[in-house]
Amino acid sequence: MKLFLEKKPWGTLYLVLVFIYLLVIFSAARYIFFILNRSGGGGIPESLYRDAFFMGFRYDTMVSSYLLVLPVLVVFLSIFCNFSARWIRSALTIYFSIVLSLVLLACAADI
């Protein structure tokens, strides 16, 4: 496993983990919103809830992808140019800290 991870470019695993983290945040916020507000939907069938959660997951995937466009371009350009400076990693960490803070704020405001 260690050899497998060493052969991968430095940013791909990081970007995949951030993508999964964003999906988990969005899904958890939707589930909490559903739990807090489910008392109002007495006659709504279960299939409608399932379809709504699936549509929400597709939307979350799209939003997460849009948030990752700039970091993916930076990582691929640095890989293509064979350039892996420490400041690029620091800049991506700062970018994700700001973006994730705004995402958490938006999710908390929605609930």
Side-chain angles (χ1 to χ4, degrees), residues 11 18 24-25 30 33 37 41 57 62 77 83 95:
V18 169
V24 167
I25 289 173
R30 184 179 314 101
F33 183 78
N37 296 309
F57 181 76
M62 180 185 64
L77 283 175
F83 184 71
Y95 172 79

Side-chain angles (χ1 to χ4, degrees), residues 56-67:
F57 181 76
R58 287 185 1 201
Y59 180 75
D60 295 343
T61 304
M62 180 185 64
V63 170
S64 299
S65 299
Y66 286 147
L67 292 174

Side-chain angles (χ1 to χ4, degrees), residues 9-98:
W10 63 269
T12 54
L13 181 64
Y14 181 65
L15 293 174
V16 169
L17 290 175
V18 169
F19 181 75
I20 292 170
Y21 183 70
L22 284 170
L23 289 179
V24 167
I25 289 173
F26 288 136
S27 297
R30 184 179 314 101
Y31 185 70
I32 291 169
F33 183 78
F34 170 72
I35 294 296
L36 292 176
N37 296 309
R38 73 176 162 180
S39 62
I44 299 175
E46 290 293 322
S47 62
L48 190 61
Y49 286 127
R50 185 181 60 245
D51 293 341
F53 273 96
F54 179 69
M55 285 176 48
F57 181 76
R58 287 185 1 201
Y59 180 75
D60 295 343
T61 304
M62 180 185 64
V63 170
S64 299
S65 299
Y66 286 147
L67 292 174
L68 288 174
V69 166
L70 182 63
V72 166
L73 288 175
V74 169
V75 168
F76 283 147
L77 283 175
S78 68
I79 291 170
F80 181 71
C81 297
N82 200 15
F83 184 71
S84 61
R86 188 173 179 90
W87 67 269
I88 292 177
R89 295 177 189 183
S90 298
L92 287 177
T93 302
I94 292 169
Y95 172 79
F96 284 127
S97 298
I98 293 170

